[in-house]
Amino acid sequence: MKTICLYFEMHQNIHLKRYRFFNIGSDHYYYDDYENERSIVETANNSYIPALNTLIEMADENNGAFKCAISLSGCSIELLETHAPQVIGLLIKLVKTGCCEIVAEPYSHGLASLGSESAFRAEVKHLCEKVEGLFGVKPTVFRNSCSIYSDDIGRIVYEMGFKAMLTEGAKHVLGWKSPHFVYNCTQAPSLKLLLRDNRLSEDISFRFADYNWSEYPLMADKYMDWIAQLPEDEKLVNLFMELCALGIFQPLSSNILDFFKALPGEAKKRDIKFATPSEVCKKMKSVGPINVTDPISWVDEERDLSPWLGNVMQQEAYEKLYSIADRVMVCNDRRLQQDWDYLQATNNFRFMSTKPGAENSYRGIYDTAYDAFTNYMNILGDYITRVNNLYPDLENEEISPLMMTIRNQEDEINRKDREIAHLQKTLELLKGNSKEKTSRTKTKKTPSKS
């Protein structure tokens, strides 16, 4: 029996406003409130609300046979809470069906996993706390911003307590191997890896409504035939995409939602089932490690870091931002912490891309990559000054011991949490054994009727 693992990403960038060089030092508010409200409301109305209603309907109509997973960045949650709270309500309703798993990701949807391990850990912890408060669940599966993954990142993710991670089935990494198996991290063998089938995923998210595509129109029965016809030993198909694919990338007029609603029925006819990432990892064993020394992602043909770090402007902005990561980690200024989340978002670096074809891609308020770089660096200049002003007499060498103290405290808390969980399980086991022993004793003492 083949299994489909369906996952959706929800992320909306916090748009920056036009910020001139002469604003540095006098204006500490960096955001375009109008554009932020307009874009999230438009996305909610055209995609999130109809898509989530469809997923809830699919969960209700298929009696547990339909499953999916969703992750949300902290930036998205904040925008939705402010401008489209009905989306949060629909997500809560979907999770309560028992057919949707919430997957963790970095709060900012940024590049902290590459630039600062301490910032990365703090972001993931922040997101997990936010998710637990909203949905009452603690994520056990992780997916990095833009599916960025490497062996080093996998090790850190495992150390944070996650059982599995979602990433890209990049051809240059897989070679002759198939993404239709469960793999594991080289540095942390217990961390299972689920790899996206990029062709089958992008047939839906990018090509579904393309009149020039050789497979147009794509129907649910044909799509399920493709999956059913995969080699017999390839039991797992990971379909990962943005939720915006339903309504934005593929407009509602393309009947994308009708296509989705038909999938569970067509899957059942072919003995194909749906499962959440946790269910997949529980039932399927890893076939072996996969080596990823250089980070991969799910973006562009190269599936690497070039969309965000492919030119000197992006690299300079990235290095400047994460040069103050340790200082931000030890500050208690809530406004600075929030700005830190928003300035890290990957979109800020993507707008600076000069890759072939990038000139025609979405850049928000910017006309060119150089325009995006100049605006971002003006804002970053003001932000770095604000951070440094908190610690005018401290050098970086003096910040490091503070960070070490914080890490040691977190490690000690995590160790004690594990000890408490172990003792609770032991106590429950002892109670169970005691009850069973008492029950057997009572049975022996009860006289048999002649």
Side-chain angles (χ1 to χ4, degrees):
M1 176 182 287
K2 297 190 186 299
T3 299
I4 294 174
C5 182
L6 180 62
Y7 157 81
F8 298 102
E9 175 204 55
M10 294 178 67
H11 168 65
Q12 288 290 303
N13 192 42
I14 305 290
H15 293 275
L16 304 177
K17 69 179 182 182
R18 284 285 179 184
Y19 193 91
R20 307 298 181 187
F21 175 80
F22 300 103
N23 296 128
I24 298 174
S26 60
D27 181 4
H28 305 318
Y29 190 77
Y30 311 134
Y31 313 108
D32 186 335
D33 291 334
Y34 171 80
E35 181 59 22
N36 284 322
E37 180 176 359
R38 186 206 64 77
S39 61
I40 192 64
V41 170
E42 179 183 345
T43 303
N45 290 335
N46 293 334
S47 174
Y48 290 169
I49 292 174
L52 289 171
N53 276 320
T54 297
L55 294 177
I56 292 169
E57 183 181 338
M58 292 168 69
D60 291 339
E61 290 181 351
N62 290 280
N63 300 316
F66 172 74
K67 303 287 182 65
C68 67
I70 289 177
S71 76
L72 303 90
S73 67
C75 296
S76 295
I77 293 174
E78 291 184 21
L79 283 172
L80 291 170
E81 286 179 323
T82 303
H83 302 296
Q86 63 272 40
V87 174
I88 299 293
L90 289 173
L91 283 165
I92 292 172
K93 188 175 180 181
L94 178 59
V95 171
K96 285 183 177 179
T97 65
C99 297
C100 178
E101 177 178 6
I102 298 295
V103 172
E105 69 167 71
Y107 195 91
S108 71
H109 197 269
L111 301 174
S113 60
L114 306 169
S116 169
E117 181 177 334
S118 57
F120 180 50
R121 289 175 180 269
E123 279 204 67
V124 176
K125 181 180 178 182
H126 188 190
L127 190 281
C128 288
E129 290 172 350
K130 187 73 172 179
V131 164
E132 198 164 2
L134 279 175
F135 306 107
V137 295
K138 185 176 181 179
T140 60
V141 176
F142 183 78
R143 182 259 183 187
N144 201 6
S145 313
C146 305
S147 293
I148 293 172
Y149 174 80
S150 69
D151 296 333
D152 292 331
I153 294 171
R155 172 188 54 78
I156 298 169
V157 168
Y158 176 72
E159 290 173 357
M160 288 190 286
F162 292 98
K163 299 177 181 178
M165 188 168 174
L166 312 183
T167 187
E168 175 68 12
K171 292 179 182 178
H172 68 277
V173 169
L174 282 173
W176 57 268
K177 297 178 181 178
S178 167
H180 302 143
F181 297 92
V182 176
Y183 295 90
N184 63 267
C185 174
T186 301
Q187 294 187 19
S190 296
L191 182 77
K192 291 185 175 180
L193 301 175
L194 305 187
L195 309 183
R196 184 177 82 130
D197 183 312
N198 50 64
R199 181 183 66 82
L200 287 172
S201 297
E202 293 175 4
D203 282 345
I204 296 176
S205 59
F206 293 156
R207 292 182 279 272
F208 181 81
D210 183 0
Y211 291 94
N212 296 316
W213 182 33
S214 62
E215 299 295 343
Y216 180 87
L218 179 60
M219 309 300 286
D221 56 350
K222 179 164 69 173
Y223 190 77
M224 282 301 165
D225 280 340
W226 292 346
I227 294 176
Q229 291 163 7
L230 289 170
E232 186 177 350
D233 63 331
E234 298 186 9
K235 303 293 187 183
L236 177 64
V237 178
N238 297 309
L239 304 177
F240 303 162
M241 63 195 76
E242 295 183 50
L243 191 61
C244 283
L246 313 186
I248 302 292
F249 304 159
Q250 308 303 322
L252 298 178
S253 59
S254 69
N255 295 319
I256 184 69
L257 297 183
D258 291 329
F259 168 81
F260 259 87
K261 283 191 281 189
L263 290 178
E266 295 298 330
K268 186 177 181 180
K269 292 177 184 177
R270 294 159 180 78
D271 200 25
I272 299 172
K273 66 177 182 178
F274 288 83
T276 64
S278 289
E279 290 172 342
V280 169
C281 292
K282 191 174 182 180
K283 295 178 181 178
M284 295 186 179
K285 294 182 179 180
S286 168
V287 297
I290 180 170
N291 297 308
V292 187
T293 53
D294 298 317
I296 58 174
S297 75
W298 74 350
V299 178
D300 290 354
E301 188 65 29
E302 297 85 358
R303 314 292 182 187
D304 59 10
L305 302 181
S306 58
W308 312 280
L309 299 175
N311 62 46
V312 292
M313 294 185 296
Q314 294 169 310
Q315 292 161 15
E316 181 179 350
Y318 163 83
E319 289 168 5
K320 284 280 188 182
L321 177 66
Y322 287 104
S323 70
I324 57 167
D326 284 351
R327 288 176 176 252
V328 176
M329 291 301 99
V330 298
C331 86
N332 293 317
D333 188 304
R334 185 176 178 183
R335 178 71 179 277
L336 282 174
Q337 292 283 359
Q338 187 178 55
D339 290 339
W340 173 251
D341 289 332
Y342 297 167
L343 291 177
Q344 287 186 81
T346 57
N347 307 60
N348 294 320
F349 299 92
R350 188 73 188 272
F351 292 153
M352 304 176 199
S353 177
T354 52
K355 290 181 66 176
E359 64 273 9
N360 297 320
S361 62
Y362 175 70
R363 292 194 191 276
I365 63 173
Y366 309 115
D367 297 323
T368 66
Y370 309 98
D371 185 21
F373 172 73
T374 301
N375 200 70
Y376 185 80
M377 293 303 285
N378 286 341
I379 291 173
L380 192 56
D382 182 78
Y383 180 73
I384 290 175
T385 300
R386 289 165 59 206
V387 172
N388 289 337
N389 284 343
L390 284 179
Y391 308 101
D393 301 322
L394 287 179
E395 299 294 333
N396 286 335
E397 291 77 10
E398 297 174 278
I399 295 288
S400 297
L402 293 175
M403 289 304 303
M404 183 62 69
T405 300
I406 292 173
R407 291 193 194 102
N408 289 339
Q409 289 174 344
E410 289 181 351
D411 290 342
E412 182 66 18
I413 291 171
N414 291 333
R415 186 180 66 80
K416 290 188 179 297
D417 286 342
R418 289 194 295 270
E419 287 181 1
I420 291 170
H422 175 70
L423 290 172
Q424 285 176 337
K425 287 183 179 179
T426 303
L427 183 60
E428 290 173 3
L429 183 61
L430 290 173
K431 285 181 178 179
N433 291 338
S434 178
K435 288 180 180 179
E436 185 179 347
K437 186 176 180 181
T438 302
S439 177
R440 286 201 303 266
T441 303
K442 287 182 179 180
T443 303
K444 288 180 180 179
K445 290 181 179 181
T446 302
S448 58
K449 295 181 181 179
S450 57

